[in-house]
């Protein structure tokens, strides 16, 4: 029993006088309900002492029993107060509740197998509590730790339950497997060759879950292989933990190509020239020429060598294949003209002369009066340059050279089959029949190279009307030979420089000076055409006469 102090209301000793007659608990203690094992706490309790003279005073220094920890079944505490050798007691009712002694998991939770990082689920778990009085009960309101499972293998989960400030714990074990990764990482976006090292971005990649290995950066375009290995707490969805290989790539940059020059002319002084190729990367350079008869090409490094073979023109196509780091660019072209021209007119073949005329590259050294032979139908004829920049192409532009036979063709021809100049040059048989037949016998390159020019001629039948015709082969007019009009109408062109320079107007037929036709109708009669006589003089004769033909033409 807890001992109290003496309250000095009454004197000490055993004599007469005022004496303690009893005590009353006027205010119960603050705490009247206890858990087994707790000790009684009188705090807040007021004890009143009553004396023999009827007086009452608050007593202190009382004792109580039991003062040891309260046990199950205890219902009261005895309060004892002693004063003047007299003791008085009172009872304080208490409630002692059984004490939680332990807990145990009697039924495992529904889920006992987890993946790393899952939250523990207590659903289905039964926890039974045992108490100091031997009672048991299934309880709820327990807590589990840890809430997130983070140990692969067997992990211990601690279950805690608190009742009346008493906490008891127990444990259970669950299986924690590696977290399953359902998606293998892949390259995110695209990379294009830049000349510097690059690394890809990855979709579905978390460095906490996967270790990145293999080839993780590259410079050149192409395909690379990276590896992804699950870290200690992760696995693939197929259950494996070994590395998976993932391909990633760097795309080729757009290729580029330029060439210089983009056109060239090969001549006697420069039979070979080069094209410089500038490209991005290392793609193979190739060159193809469309006309191998004119020139050939070869490639060495970044240089295309062009070698002329014969007069003509061609287009060279330069291409670059896709290289290590660049795509194939669009091809480029270079226009090539081969003009192997000798300053001496006669030293050039007719194909070179044609090309020179049609490309506008006639050398200044080729002058009026120069001549060269041409074989027509097995016979060789001297052909003279009789004019420079004299005739106009029907298609537009000026013909650089005009040519004429130095002597007459091997066969004589009529202007018309009857004696008429009606219709003039435009409608005569010479123009419509005889000259086209001769043209068909000329060398093929000459036939192909001759271009139509506009010729001016009177309409015939004494008309002053000037007609314009487009002619490949033509006869000269009176004024084009003599520089003046004697028998023809005015307006049929101007004198060629060859004749203006005083060169002979005499032309031979079979080696003998002979009459040769002009295209001019005789202006004062309807049955004649003008001609040059054997002496080189102007004249005229009947249209049905067969005389020499010395035609002209332009390339």
């Amino acid at each position: 029993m807890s001992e109290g102090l003496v309250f000095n209301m009454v004197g000490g000793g055993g004599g007469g006088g005022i004496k303690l007659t009893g005590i009353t608990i006027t205010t119960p203690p603050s705490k009247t309900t206890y858990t087994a094992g707790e000790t009684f706490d009188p705090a807040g309790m007021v004890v009143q002492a009553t004396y023999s003279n009827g007086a009452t005073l608050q007593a202190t220094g009382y004792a109580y029993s039991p003062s040891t920890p309260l046990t199950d079944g205890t219902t009261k505490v005895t309060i004892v107060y002693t004063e003047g050798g007299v003791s008085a007691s009172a009872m304080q009712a208490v409630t002692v509740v059984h004490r939680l002694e332990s807990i145990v998991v009697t039924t495992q939770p529904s889920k006992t197998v987890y993946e790393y990082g899952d939250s523990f689920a207590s659903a289905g778990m039964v926890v039974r509590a045992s108490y100091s009085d031997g009672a048991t009960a299934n309880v709820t309101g327990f807590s589990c730790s840890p809430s997130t499972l983070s140990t692969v293998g067997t992990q211990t989960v601690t279950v805690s339950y608190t009742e009346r400030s008493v906490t008891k714990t127990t444990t259970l074990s669950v299986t924690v497997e590696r977290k399953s990764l359902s998606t293998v990482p892949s390259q995110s976006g695209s990379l294009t060759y830049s000349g510097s090292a690059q690394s890809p971005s990855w979709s579905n990649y978390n460095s906490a879950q996967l270790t990145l290995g293999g080839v993780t950066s590259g410079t050149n375009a192409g395909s690379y292989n990276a590896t992804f290995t699950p870290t200690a707490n992760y696995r693939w969805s197929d259950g494996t933990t070994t590395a998976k290989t993932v391909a990633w790539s760097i795309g080729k940059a757009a290729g580029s190509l330029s060439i210089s020059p983009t056109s060239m002319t090969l001549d006697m002084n420069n039979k070979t020239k080069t094209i410089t190729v500038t490209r991005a990367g290392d793609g193979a350079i190739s060159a193809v020429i469309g006309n191998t008869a004119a020139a050939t090409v070869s490639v060495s490094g970044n240089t295309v060598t062009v070698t002329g073979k014969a007069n003509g023109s061609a287009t060279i196509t330069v291409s670059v294949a896709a290289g290590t780091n660049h795509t194939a660019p669009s091809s480029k072209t270079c226009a090539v003209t081969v003009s192997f021209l000798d300053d001496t007119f006669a030293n050039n073949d007719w194909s070179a002369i044609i090309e020179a005329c049609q490309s506008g590259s006639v050398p200044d050294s080729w002058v009026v009066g120069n001549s060269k032979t041409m074989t027509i139908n097995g016979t060789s004829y001297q052909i003279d340059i009789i004019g420079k920049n004299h005739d106009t192409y029907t298609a537009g532009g000026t013909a650089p050279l005009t040519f004429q036979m130095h002597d007459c063709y091997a066969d004589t021809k009529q202007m018309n089959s009857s004696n008429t100049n009606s219709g003039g040059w435009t409608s005569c048989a010479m123009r419509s029949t005889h000259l086209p037949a001769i043209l068909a016998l000329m060398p093929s390159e000459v036939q192909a190279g001759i271009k139509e020019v506009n010729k001016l001629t009177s309409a015939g039948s004494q008309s002053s009307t000037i007609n314009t015709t487009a002619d490949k082969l033509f006869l000269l007019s009176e004024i084009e030979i003599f520089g003046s009009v004697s028998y023809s109408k005015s307006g049929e062109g101007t004198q060629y420089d060859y004749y203006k320079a005083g060169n002979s107007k005499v032309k031979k037929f079979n080696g003998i000076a002979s009459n040769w036709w002009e295209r001019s109708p005789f202006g004062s009669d309807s049955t004649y055409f003008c001609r040059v006589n054997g002496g080189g003089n102007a004249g005229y004769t009947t249209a049905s006469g067969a005389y020499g033909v010395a035609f002209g033409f332009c390339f």
Side-chain angles (χ1 to χ4, degrees):
M1 178 178 290
S2 175
E3 296 294 333
L5 298 175
V6 176
F7 189 86
N8 294 318
M9 173 88 176
V10 298
I18 300 170
K19 294 186 181 295
L20 175 71
T21 60
I23 62 173
T24 302
I25 299 173
T26 59
T27 302
S30 301
K31 181 176 181 180
T32 59
T33 299
Y34 294 88
T35 301
E38 293 182 325
T39 56
F40 176 73
D41 182 1
M45 184 174 66
V46 177
V47 178
Q48 182 175 278
T50 303
Y51 297 89
S52 57
N53 63 354
T56 59
L57 291 174
Q58 182 176 335
T60 60
Y62 48 78
Y64 52 85
S65 176
S67 59
T68 57
L70 300 174
T71 60
D72 292 309
T74 301
T75 60
K76 61 184 178 178
V77 173
T78 301
I79 309 300
V80 178
Y81 176 63
T82 300
E83 185 178 346
V86 178
S87 295
S89 64
M91 299 300 174
Q92 171 61 51
V94 295
T95 299
V96 177
V97 181
H98 58 196
R99 180 183 180 87
L100 177 66
E101 293 295 334
S102 64
I103 59 172
V104 64
V105 176
T106 59
T107 301
Q108 295 293 311
S110 301
K111 183 177 181 179
T112 58
V113 178
Y114 296 85
E115 286 191 345
Y116 174 81
D118 285 352
S119 295
F120 175 74
S122 62
M125 185 171 69
V126 177
V127 178
R128 178 177 294 172
S130 295
Y131 296 93
S132 57
D133 61 355
T136 61
N138 291 340
V139 296
T140 59
F142 49 81
S143 63
C144 300
S145 178
S147 58
T148 301
L149 302 174
S150 59
T151 301
V152 171
T154 300
Q155 181 158 8
T156 298
V157 176
T158 299
V159 181
S160 299
Y161 175 69
T162 300
E163 188 175 315
R164 297 189 62 78
S165 301
V166 176
T167 299
K168 295 298 179 180
T169 62
T170 188
T171 61
L172 73 153
S173 295
V174 294
T175 299
V176 180
E177 298 178 342
R178 293 181 179 225
K179 186 73 173 179
S180 180
L181 301 174
S182 60
T183 305
V184 178
S186 60
Q187 183 176 359
S188 175
S190 60
L191 298 174
T192 301
Y193 173 77
S194 66
S196 301
Q198 300 182 84
S199 296
S201 298
W202 299 101
S203 297
N204 305 308
Y205 168 58
N206 183 331
S207 60
Q209 300 173 346
L210 296 167
T211 299
L212 175 61
V215 181
T216 60
S217 68
T219 299
N220 288 332
S223 181
Y224 299 88
N225 288 323
T227 60
F228 290 90
T229 305
T231 55
N233 296 317
Y234 295 88
R235 63 180 176 176
W236 299 115
S237 58
D238 60 6
T240 62
T241 58
T242 54
K244 288 191 181 294
T245 299
V246 177
W248 63 278
S249 63
I250 298 175
K252 294 181 179 183
S256 62
L257 169 63
S258 63
I259 62 173
S260 180
T262 56
S263 64
M264 64 172 62
T265 297
L266 302 177
D267 53 29
M268 295 296 292
N269 296 320
N270 297 282
K271 293 186 176 182
T272 298
K273 288 187 178 181
T274 59
I275 301 170
T276 300
V277 180
T278 302
R279 75 195 188 292
D282 58 2
I285 298 172
S286 62
V288 176
I289 189 166
N291 181 6
T292 55
T296 59
V297 292
S298 62
V299 179
S300 177
N302 293 339
T303 301
V304 177
T305 299
V306 186
T307 301
K309 293 176 64 179
N311 291 307
S313 60
T315 298
I316 297 172
T317 301
V318 179
S319 302
V320 173
T324 302
N325 295 310
H326 294 83
T327 59
S330 298
S331 299
K332 301 292 183 181
T333 59
C334 177
V336 179
T337 300
V338 182
S339 180
F340 287 167
L341 303 175
D342 194 296
D343 284 343
T344 300
F345 174 73
N347 291 343
N348 297 278
D349 59 29
W350 282 108
S351 61
I353 294 168
I354 293 168
E355 177 62 29
C357 289
Q358 296 185 352
S359 64
S361 57
V362 171
D364 291 339
S365 59
W366 295 3
V367 296
V368 170
N370 288 168
S371 63
K372 178 178 175 61
T373 59
M374 177 186 295
T375 299
I376 304 173
N377 198 26
T379 301
S380 179
Y381 297 93
Q382 179 179 331
I383 306 297
D384 298 328
I385 298 175
I386 63 169
K388 294 187 75 172
N389 301 314
H390 185 100
D391 284 294
T392 300
Y393 290 126
T394 301
T398 302
L401 299 176
T402 300
F403 303 90
Q404 186 190 20
M405 299 184 71
H406 186 79
D407 286 307
C408 294
Y409 186 65
D411 298 323
T412 58
K413 301 293 181 182
Q414 299 169 307
M415 290 300 288
N416 280 314
S417 60
S418 62
N419 290 324
T420 179
N421 63 18
S422 177
W425 167 249
T426 305
S427 303
C428 70
M430 179 68 77
R431 179 173 181 271
S432 61
T433 302
H434 303 316
L435 291 182
I438 295 173
L439 175 63
L441 299 174
M442 298 177 77
S444 58
E445 73 270 20
V446 172
Q447 292 184 51
I450 291 177
K451 288 190 173 184
E452 290 181 332
V453 291
N454 291 335
K455 303 309 293 183
L456 303 175
T457 317
S458 65
S461 298
Q462 305 177 53
S463 172
S464 297
T465 299
I466 300 298
N467 292 331
T468 301
T469 53
D471 293 302
K472 288 190 172 183
L473 299 186
F474 54 87
L475 301 183
L476 275 61
S477 68
E478 182 182 44
I479 195 170
E480 287 174 339
I481 302 167
F482 295 100
S484 60
V485 172
S486 296
Y487 303 105
S488 62
K489 296 291 186 181
S490 297
E492 294 184 336
T494 59
Q495 187 178 27
Y496 282 101
D497 288 342
Y498 178 84
Y499 295 107
K500 187 184 293 185
N503 287 297
S504 174
K505 302 173 180 64
V506 174
K507 296 193 180 296
K508 296 178 180 180
F509 173 76
N510 289 335
I512 300 171
S514 178
N515 293 334
W516 53 283
W517 285 114
E518 302 168 12
R519 72 174 185 276
S520 301
F522 179 42
S524 300
D525 189 273
S526 299
T527 60
Y528 301 98
F529 275 87
C530 296
R531 51 97 175 120
V532 180
N533 66 23
N537 300 309
Y540 57 89
T541 190
T542 55
S544 62
Y547 296 107
V549 177
F551 55 81
F553 56 90
C554 297
F555 293 125

